[in-house]
Amino acid sequence: MTMNLITGKAGAPHITSSDQGAMQAGLVGNGNYLLQGSDGKFPAVTMQSANKALVPVLNLVIEGRYARVTAAETVTIESGVTGRNRNDLICVKYTRDSNNIETIALAVLKGTATSGTAADPTVPSGSILNNSGTVWIPIARIPISGITAGTPVMLVKQLPPMSQLWDSVTLTKTTSDKLVIDTSIIPLACAQSGADALLVLSILWQNSGRFRSVSWGSVNLATVKGWKTARESFGWCFDNNIDSSTQSTARFYMANNIISWRDSSEHDIAAGCWHNGGLIVPVMRD
């Protein structure tokens, strides 16, 4: 029989780690992810000395397997050489034996010393989901310049909790205006801007009363809770302002945690004018 009711009662043990791992990988992704701690922050590896890296208490999902470092653990880094550079990788080393017994441990992949720019060591191929016997999962890079170990760089992707992916926009326009904002937040594996996610917004605003726009003035529409921009962002906007003979110069805009409508020129905005568009904004936790 090739079909199993995994979470049904079978009268005998029948749920395997592969069953649970496949489900969790299907829910969160096939990659390797760092979960936030009980303090709401994502822990990071630090250096205790030139030869000791400290891996803090942390929670990981590695190709569907849930793994924990339950107490801070030190990992030994081999000393560097004066005038040479090297990158070492702190990894979770997963093994599966012939009896399908699975274990994990922290281990170091040592890089090759060079007088130039250091490169990461080659990570041996392997996949837990493909039943490999040994799998290396890099979680942090230790850059070593001469005999000095630099600040560790976390390599494992951060996975925000579901509670932070819900809509988190508070509308600030009066009820006499029509304002509809649909939002979604897409986690980012990495971003040079320092962003944790992309905030995607679809915006429809219809102003109730006539007003005069101010060049580069703002009409605040909504406040985002729990997130702020990694950098200010403009988005497209179309409107049907019948009082203006000029082409629309308006756009949607977000800076810090405020979403607004901005017009780069000065003219009258008719009552009942609609403004429709969107924003894609790199954001970080506030």
Side-chain angles (χ1 to χ4, degrees), residues 54 81 103 126 141 184 200 202 219 222 262 285:
L54 180 67
V81 178
T103 59
R141 175 190 299 116
S184 62
V200 181
S202 172
V219 177
R262 301 187 75 178
R285 293 169 189 82

Side-chain angles (χ1 to χ4, degrees), residues 93-143:
K93 184 181 180 182
Y94 164 96
T95 58
R96 181 205 305 265
D97 68 14
S98 58
N99 295 315
N100 288 323
I101 302 301
E102 300 164 282
T103 59
I104 57 171
L106 293 171
V108 176
L109 280 177
K110 180 184 173 183
T112 301
T114 177
S115 58
T117 301
D120 291 346
T122 299
V123 178
S125 61
S127 166
I128 298 174
L129 293 170
N130 290 335
N131 300 318
S132 297
T134 303
V135 181
W136 292 78
I137 298 103
I139 62 172
R141 175 190 299 116
I142 310 297

